[in-house]
């Protein structure tokens, strides 16, 4: 299925007094459009258009830029910006500005704006702005990762298949694995931890998909690999190459993905049994992993939580343990960001990215996710409808009900609307239309009346009915032949005339 995408990003470049480069082509304000092609494959083209307006600051913006720190300026500028999803506002401040710390030339805020230090003329500024707009909207790698099903394998980066596929919903399961309840009585306040750390992130992501969260404690659930004892550190070690073998035996006990319509993200906290404590994870180079955790692409993550051995030999078992949820949730939230492709890319040292704080992701990171998911949804709809068309071509006598036909029309109309909205830079409405298109196309594709097993090819019909009708047909055909013969005979005989 061929697909043509045009991604338009509305960008405002706002010059503070004393920051306007001397070599501007024409007086402010003026507009400029820059286009770039992203190669995907012969049948899929992605054209990106950065529609930029260059202007001077307003009096309110000037006042906001007089704040003491970049963080305060970012907060003050937020209400003055275009708040629509996918739009960017980049404020150029004078080279001597004290807003940006020493050695920092770009500050990316929590919302949809950034502060850029002027200097080096228009060409240098444009190069910096281009790099910044890509960081805050989409890069070649984020779009090719979204279209990974259409990209030849050799062109994909190592992280392209790490991210979760776009879905209308996700289920998140937190599991505490206690393989040795005789030695450890482990308590975790997962409800409070989810409300405090996970819910703000999911509230922000609620625009992307629906989320459901549940938790469980599994007893006597062991890892499928026996750790190696290390005499030097008198601890047990799990090496990087054995980590893939850890997941399957544990997954058999989780039981959540079997009944789920949506992708399930598993976050496991494993308390090693006393006979294998303390247990540490090693990376490929044999160094201990600082978080004592690892993640599996598109599946989830596992963290090993060691319990200190009791100091006195008379300690009574089981030991009562209260899990430090702050430490655990820091790791799980970092893994959640990785699975959604929100990990921060390698940036030059002069870039400073503001921490998103309690919300877990900045507004521009949410936009970045929406750009990728919208493109992926449209590509998915195109593939689904092409597969459906091929199925209908193959079975000539298939019956298409009116409701199935209307779902197909709705899917096509919504996908076309999503493509059109992307081309004019309306990210929010494009994403909503792409979600509707996915819903309609899947309803049509998985409609029970279109199950190809309900329809037999013609050769199968002959194979079924010939053995039934041939024995009956033989005497009938012979009788017909006899009647025809007799009729001919009668015609040949001359009639007697008295």
């Amino acid at each position: 299925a061929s697909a043509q995408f045009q991604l338009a990003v509305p960008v405002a470049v706002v010059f503070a007094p004393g920051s306007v480069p001397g070599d501007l082509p024409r007086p402010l304000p003026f507009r400029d459009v820059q286009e770039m092609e992203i190669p995907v494959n012969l049948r899929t083209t992605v054209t990106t258009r950065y529609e930029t307006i260059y202007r001077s600051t307003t009096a309110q913006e000037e006042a906001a830029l007089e704040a003491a720190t970049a963080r305060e300026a970012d907060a003050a500028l937020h209400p003055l910006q275009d708040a629509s999803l996918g739009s960017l506002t980049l404020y150029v401040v004078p080279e001597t500005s004290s807003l940006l710390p020493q050695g920092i030339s770009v500050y990316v805020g929590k919302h949809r704006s950034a502060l850029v230090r002027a200097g080096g003329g228009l060409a240098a500024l444009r190069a910096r702005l281009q790099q910044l707009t890509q960081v805050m909207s989409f890069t070649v790698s984020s779009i090719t990762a979204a279209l990974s099903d259409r990209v030849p394998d050799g062109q994909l980066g190592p992280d392209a298949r790490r991210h979760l596929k776009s879905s209308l919903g996700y289920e998140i399961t937190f599991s505490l694995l206690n393989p040795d309840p005789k030695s450890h009585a482990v308590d975790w306040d997962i409800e409070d931890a989810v409300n405090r750390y996970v819910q703000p992130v999911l509230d922000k992501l609620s625009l992307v998909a629906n989320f459901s969260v549940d938790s469980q404690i599994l007893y006597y659930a062991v890892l499928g690999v026996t750790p190696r004892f290390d005499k030097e550190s008198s601890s047990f070690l799990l090496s990087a190459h054995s980590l893939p073998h850890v997941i399957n035996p544990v997954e058999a006990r989780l039981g959540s993905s079997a009944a789920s319509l949506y992708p399930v993200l598993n976050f496991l906290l494993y308390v090693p049994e006393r006979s294998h404590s303390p247990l540490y994870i090693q990376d490929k180079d044999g160094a201990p992993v600082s978080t004592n955790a690892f993640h599996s692409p598109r599946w989830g993550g596992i963290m090993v939580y060691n319990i200190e051995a009791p100091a006195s030999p008379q300690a009574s078992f089981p030991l009562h343990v209260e899990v430090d949820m702050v430490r655990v949730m820091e790791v799980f939230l970092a893994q959640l960001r990785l699975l959604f492709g929100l990990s921060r890319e390698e940036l030059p040292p002069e870039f400073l990215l503001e921490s998103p704080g309690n919300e877990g992701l900045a507004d521009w990171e949410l936009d970045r996710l929406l750009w990728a998911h919208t493109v992926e949804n449209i590509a998915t709809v195109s593939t689904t409808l092409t597969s459906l068309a091929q199925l209908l071509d193959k079975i000539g006598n298939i019956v298409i009900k009116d409701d199935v036909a209307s779902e197909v029309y709705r899917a096509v109309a919504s996908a076309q609307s999503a493509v059109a909205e992307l081309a004019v830079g309306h990210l929010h409405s494009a994403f909503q239309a792409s979600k509707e298109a996915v819903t309609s196309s899947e309803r049509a594709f998985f409609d029970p009346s279109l199950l190809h097993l309900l329809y037999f090819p013609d050769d199968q019909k002959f194979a079924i009915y010939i053995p039934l009708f041939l024995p009956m047909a033989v005497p009938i055909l012979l009788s017909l032949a006899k009647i025809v013969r007799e009729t001919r005979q009668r015609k040949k005989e001359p009639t007697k005339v008295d």
Side-chain angles (χ1 to χ4, degrees):
S2 58
Q4 314 292 319
F5 295 97
Q6 268 203 330
L7 310 181
V9 187
V11 184
V13 176
V14 185
F15 293 100
S19 70
V20 183
D23 53 352
L24 279 184
R26 46 193 187 277
L28 296 171
F30 67 90
R31 290 180 179 277
D32 182 36
V33 176
Q34 280 186 311
E35 287 203 357
M36 185 180 80
E37 286 241 336
I38 296 177
V40 180
N41 65 20
L42 294 173
R43 306 185 68 182
T44 308
T45 58
V46 179
T47 311
T48 64
R49 292 174 63 223
Y50 291 97
E51 298 175 350
T52 312
I53 177 163
Y54 293 88
R55 64 175 177 84
S56 303
T57 45
T58 61
Q60 286 172 302
E61 287 169 334
E62 258 175 69
L65 285 168
E66 281 166 16
T69 65
R71 184 179 291 181
E72 286 170 28
D74 183 47
L77 288 164
H78 180 224
L80 309 175
Q81 290 157 21
D82 176 5
S84 58
L85 277 71
S87 61
L88 300 174
T89 312
L90 313 176
Y91 296 93
V92 184
V93 295
E95 213 166 340
T96 53
S97 170
S98 59
L99 262 183
L100 299 174
Q102 199 66 36
I104 296 294
S105 59
V106 174
Y107 167 89
V108 180
K110 271 190 188 184
H111 305 291
R112 295 184 171 88
S113 69
L115 302 178
V116 183
R117 200 188 288 277
L122 184 63
L125 179 66
R126 270 207 173 133
R128 200 175 289 165
L129 292 176
Q130 187 179 7
Q131 188 180 18
L132 179 56
T133 48
Q134 288 191 1
V135 165
M136 295 179 76
S137 56
F138 45 79
T139 54
V140 172
S141 61
S142 73
I143 294 299
T144 47
L147 295 168
S148 58
D149 295 346
R150 294 162 174 249
V151 179
D153 276 353
Q155 292 176 20
L156 282 175
D159 293 344
R161 301 200 192 277
R162 172 187 282 172
H163 313 156
L164 285 156
K165 300 286 280 177
S166 174
S167 171
L168 302 172
Y170 299 92
E171 293 187 16
I172 299 176
T173 303
F174 292 98
S175 307
L176 172 62
L177 272 55
N178 184 356
D180 190 6
K182 291 193 191 76
S183 306
H184 303 137
V186 186
D187 274 340
W188 67 340
D189 191 352
I190 186 69
E191 196 171 347
D192 176 61
V194 164
N195 289 337
R196 196 177 297 182
Y197 304 106
V198 182
Q199 205 52 53
V201 181
L202 299 187
D203 289 344
K204 196 86 184 258
L205 285 171
S206 61
L207 193 66
V208 178
N210 298 321
F211 289 89
S212 64
V213 182
D214 52 48
S215 67
Q216 59 184 346
I217 299 178
L218 299 175
Y219 295 101
Y220 300 104
V222 291
L223 300 180
V225 175
T226 308
R228 178 172 59 83
F229 183 68
D230 179 54
K231 282 181 185 165
E232 278 180 43
S233 59
S234 68
S235 61
F236 291 83
L237 302 175
L238 271 177
S239 56
H241 67 82
S242 65
L243 295 179
H245 308 295
V246 166
I247 291 174
N248 279 4
V250 170
E251 194 171 33
R253 287 289 305 273
L254 295 176
S256 51
S257 54
S260 171
L261 287 171
Y262 297 127
V264 178
L265 301 185
N266 298 288
F267 293 105
L268 274 57
L269 186 67
Y270 181 75
V271 179
E273 58 253 69
R274 197 156 62 95
S275 57
H276 285 163
S277 290
L279 176 63
Y280 296 104
I281 296 172
Q282 285 183 317
D283 62 19
K284 287 186 172 71
D285 305 322
V289 175
S290 58
T291 54
N292 216 20
F294 70 97
H295 90 282
S296 175
R298 296 190 183 176
W299 183 83
I302 296 181
M303 179 179 180
V304 175
Y305 191 88
N306 286 311
I307 287 165
E308 285 186 27
S312 66
Q314 284 86 31
S316 62
F317 289 99
L319 289 172
H320 184 75
V321 181
E322 196 65 52
V323 175
D324 175 7
M325 293 309 289
V326 177
R327 203 177 96 208
V328 171
M329 281 299 164
E330 271 180 3
V331 173
F332 285 164
L333 281 176
Q335 290 177 336
L336 186 71
R337 283 179 59 89
L338 269 177
L339 290 162
F340 274 101
L342 292 167
S343 53
R344 305 258 163 127
E345 293 194 6
E346 286 297 312
L347 293 172
E350 70 265 18
F351 271 67
L352 173 65
L353 269 60
E354 179 64 73
S355 156
N358 196 27
E359 290 180 335
L361 67 155
D363 290 352
W364 59 267
E365 287 181 305
L366 178 68
D367 292 354
R368 201 180 152 89
L369 200 59
L370 291 178
W371 283 114
H373 277 207
T374 307
V375 168
E376 189 181 337
N377 285 347
I378 297 168
T380 303
V381 171
S382 160
T383 308
T384 305
L385 293 179
T386 306
S387 304
L388 184 59
Q390 286 168 348
L391 176 74
L392 303 185
D393 277 349
K394 213 178 280 179
I395 303 168
N397 61 338
I398 200 164
V399 177
I400 300 166
K401 294 190 201 163
D402 287 350
D403 54 341
V404 175
S406 64
E407 289 291 4
V408 172
Y409 289 132
R410 198 173 299 138
V412 171
S414 298
Q416 286 171 338
S417 159
V419 170
E421 293 289 336
L422 276 182
V424 291
H426 297 160
L427 178 57
H428 187 237
S429 45
F431 177 67
Q432 294 297 358
S434 78
K435 263 170 70 169
E436 285 162 23
V438 168
T439 310
S440 294
S441 67
E442 293 202 340
R443 271 198 203 128
F445 190 78
F446 293 109
D447 191 275
S449 68
L450 295 186
L451 194 64
H452 71 93
L453 294 176
L454 297 174
Y455 302 93
F456 302 111
D458 291 338
D459 52 355
Q460 278 192 19
K461 286 181 189 160
F462 287 122
I464 291 166
Y465 295 121
I466 284 174
L468 291 173
F469 289 118
L470 200 57
M472 292 161 52
V474 169
I476 294 169
L477 290 170
L478 287 173
S479 304
L480 280 171
K482 193 178 173 190
I483 290 166
V484 168
R485 223 177 21 251
E486 284 178 358
T487 313
R488 279 186 185 160
Q489 204 88 29
R490 212 173 288 143
K491 276 182 182 169
K492 278 182 187 172
E493 281 176 19
T495 48
K496 289 181 184 177
V497 182
D498 285 339

